Amino acid sequence: MEGEGNERKFILSFSSEEPYERFWGKEILDHNPAAVDLTRLNSIGVLLFNHNRDKVIGKINRAWIENQRGMAEVEFDSDEKSEVIFQKVKGGTLKGVSVGYKIGVIEEVMPGKVSTDGRFNGPCDVAREWMPYEISIVSVPADATVGVGRNLREQKPKAPETLTCFEAQLQINKNRK
């Protein structure tokens, strides 16, 4: 961010719908606004280094969902340890970002089947309700499509409208066959 007083602030993307290979299979975080609970991130969320809860390097000023991506304005602290990471981000050495989250509801999509909203092909697990609780600057991100400098310039297609309860049940029934 530019302008006086914004020297320690960055806008970054912290999550996307990019499939991530877990030990059990592919996991996808649904980014429809109703799927992501940003309450905790916006009220007490912190910026960490490499998900280490003992390495708080800043705060999250605000977080939102835009173009199927989790976005945030973060601000680095000015203590000595935070300064080291801030300089690496500012200089472009560290660009990776990751998010710590808790899943509330997950949809299992079987091989050869399609998710209830028709956007994802199985096999995969789609987090239909999830809550991020921290954002980390990381040296090795799981999702290389997010990070510092990877935000709105990379437009993603908009998601289709949410299915009605009846349409979702029809899709679930198709998936069971």
Side-chain angles (χ1 to χ4, degrees), residues 46-175:
V46 292
L47 184 65
L48 302 178
F49 180 62
N50 278 335
H51 296 290
N52 186 332
R53 294 175 184 192
D54 294 328
K55 292 188 178 180
V56 177
I57 59 172
K59 63 183 175 181
I60 298 165
N61 291 333
R62 64 186 177 101
W64 67 97
I65 300 299
E66 190 167 332
N67 296 321
Q68 306 312 117
R69 297 170 82 72
M71 303 295 298
E73 177 190 294
V74 299
E75 185 173 350
F76 281 84
D77 289 340
S78 57
D79 62 274
E80 190 175 316
K81 290 182 180 181
S82 300
E83 184 66 23
V84 170
I85 305 305
F86 167 70
Q87 290 300 328
K88 288 180 183 288
V89 170
K90 186 177 174 184
T93 303
L94 282 174
K95 297 177 186 174
V97 174
S98 186
V99 62
Y101 58 92
K102 180 176 114 180
I103 296 175
V105 174
I106 200 153
E107 176 187 357
E108 183 180 7
V109 184
M110 301 306 289
K113 302 297 180 179
V114 179
S115 62
T116 55
D117 62 5
R119 296 191 301 136
F120 307 108
N121 295 314
C124 65
D125 290 331
V126 183
R128 294 298 183 184
E129 289 181 15
W130 61 284
M131 178 178 55
Y133 53 86
E134 58 91 353
I135 296 173
S136 285
I137 300 296
V138 294
S139 48
V140 183
D143 182 351
T145 71
V146 300
V148 179
R150 297 180 183 105
N151 52 39
L152 300 179
R153 291 180 203 100
E154 301 171 18
Q155 298 293 323
K156 295 282 184 175
K158 290 197 175 191
E161 290 184 33
T162 304
L163 299 176
T164 67
C165 187
F166 176 73
E167 292 168 325
Q169 188 59 54
L170 285 175
Q171 184 65 49
I172 290 168
N173 291 344
K174 283 182 193 176
N175 286 346

Side-chain angles (χ1 to χ4, degrees), residues 35-50:
V36 188
D37 180 358
L38 295 171
T39 307
R40 182 173 173 168
L41 200 60
N42 275 314
S43 62
I44 62 169
V46 292
L47 184 65
L48 302 178
F49 180 62
N50 278 335

